[in-house]
Structures are given as C-alpha cells and as structure tokens.
Amino acid sequence: MYSVYSSEDHQRLRRELFIDGEYDRSVRPVRNAFKTTLVEMQFSVAQVLDVDERLETSKINAWLTMRWFDEYLVWDPERYNGLTNFKITKDKVWMPDLWLYNNAGSRYEDYTANSICSVYSDGRVVWQSPTILTTHCSMDVTQFPFDCNNAFSPPVLGNMALLKLLSMEQA
C-alpha cells in the first residue's frame, strides 16, 4: 500500500516537536541523565583511494551510518494521519560527538556537514553520509586490507561514558 502524507501533518508535527516542544539539540536525548545513549555505527568502505606505505596512511571513500534513539522525538502516528517518519537536516537534531582519532588529514573534518537525518515515530534517528577520510595506521601488508583500523570514539567525561558505540556485529 502506498500513502501520501499531507504537508500539513508534517508541518504540525515538526512545529510540535521543535518549536512548541522546545527541542534542544545541544542536550543529549535522554530523560534520565544517567542513562547511556547507545549509538550504532556502520562504516562501509566504498573505495580505497590511496595508500602511502612510507607514511603509513590511507585515504578512503566511505559511507558512515549512525543510529540512536532520541527520547524527545517520539510521536503517535495516529495523531498525524499515519506519518511514521520524516527527514530533517542534521543541524536541527542532537548528533553524537564522534571524531576519527587516527586522522591524518590536515585538519579534523566535520563529516556530518550538510547531511540529512531520518527520524522515526519510535524515536529512532538514522544519519548517513559519504565521506573521504585520510587515516594513520600501522601497516602490515600481509594482513591487507585488514591491517588498518579506523578509530572513531565518543568523548568521555570523568569516569562516565555518555555514549556507547555499537558495531553492526554487536547490535
């Protein structure tokens, strides 16, 4: 079955979530501050663009996907004519603060820039974006292409990790 959602329902939902609801993208999306935010991350290499054995760097074209739940972006689809999801620019929602620690580029790139998130009625948020990364890695050509691991990590405040990354195998 194919459904077309009215823009009026979209507008009303977005107004209620982001304007009337006073959504704050700078606040981690949990109602209990001690609850860990689980972020599922998928890193898919589309192409190896360059490998420099002497400098032990590699440049790759990859797709990054992150999934998490935002407890403030939940709604009942029945109230919005069956609307179960919508897309929104990433600058309107909370995003995990993740950085590539073995970055070999001239600066840390914002790989989330100019991207879109899909938001679902159960609070699930999915972000996907292509990116080109240059990373440092100790190379062992006998293990190629598995000799280089890219390390993405969330910030840690004190002894409490506020985010926990799940690989696709763990999820």
Side-chain angles (χ1 to χ4, degrees), residues 9 74 101 138 160:
D9 292 317
V74 175
Y101 278 109
S138 298
M160 183 172 64

Side-chain angles (χ1 to χ4, degrees), residues 59-89:
K59 184 174 185 178
I60 54 176
N61 177 5
W63 269 91
L64 297 176
T65 302
M66 291 189 287
R67 295 174 187 87
W68 65 92
F69 283 90
D70 187 318
E71 295 179 13
Y72 298 104
L73 296 179
V74 175
W75 70 91
D76 179 1
E78 297 287 318
R79 290 188 58 224
Y80 302 92
N81 195 27
L83 180 64
T84 58
N85 65 71
F86 64 88
K87 295 190 183 312
I88 192 165
T89 57

Side-chain angles (χ1 to χ4, degrees), residues 5-20:
Y5 301 112
S6 109
S7 61
E8 192 174 297
D9 292 317
H10 275 106
Q11 290 174 1
R12 184 168 53 90
L13 174 60
R14 288 172 61 120
R15 183 178 58 249
E16 289 176 11
L17 288 175
F18 295 101
I19 298 170
D20 300 344

Side-chain angles (χ1 to χ4, degrees), residues 36-150:
T36 301
T37 301
L38 299 177
V39 178
E40 178 185 330
M41 183 173 194
Q42 181 178 5
F43 182 83
S44 302
V45 176
Q47 182 181 20
V48 177
L49 300 173
D50 187 34
V51 175
D52 188 323
E53 292 178 55
R54 185 179 61 78
L55 294 176
E56 292 190 316
T57 61
S58 64
K59 184 174 185 178
I60 54 176
N61 177 5
W63 269 91
L64 297 176
T65 302
M66 291 189 287
R67 295 174 187 87
W68 65 92
F69 283 90
D70 187 318
E71 295 179 13
Y72 298 104
L73 296 179
V74 175
W75 70 91
D76 179 1
E78 297 287 318
R79 290 188 58 224
Y80 302 92
N81 195 27
L83 180 64
T84 58
N85 65 71
F86 64 88
K87 295 190 183 312
I88 192 165
T89 57
K90 71 96 184 172
D91 61 315
K92 303 285 188 208
V93 298
W94 176 88
M95 289 284 296
D97 185 15
L98 299 173
W99 295 98
L100 177 65
Y101 278 109
N102 52 344
N103 179 47
S106 59
R107 62 184 181 170
Y108 280 91
E109 300 292 330
D110 181 3
Y111 51 86
T112 67
N114 304 315
S115 57
I116 302 287
C117 290
S118 296
V119 180
Y120 296 86
S121 60
D122 62 357
R124 185 171 26 110
V125 180
V126 178
W127 169 86
Q128 294 179 306
S129 183
T131 189
I132 295 178
L133 301 170
T134 303
T135 63
H136 285 290
C137 59
S138 298
M139 294 190 181
D140 176 359
V141 292
T142 62
Q143 300 294 315
F144 185 81
F146 304 106
D147 56 337
C148 187
N149 291 313
N150 293 303

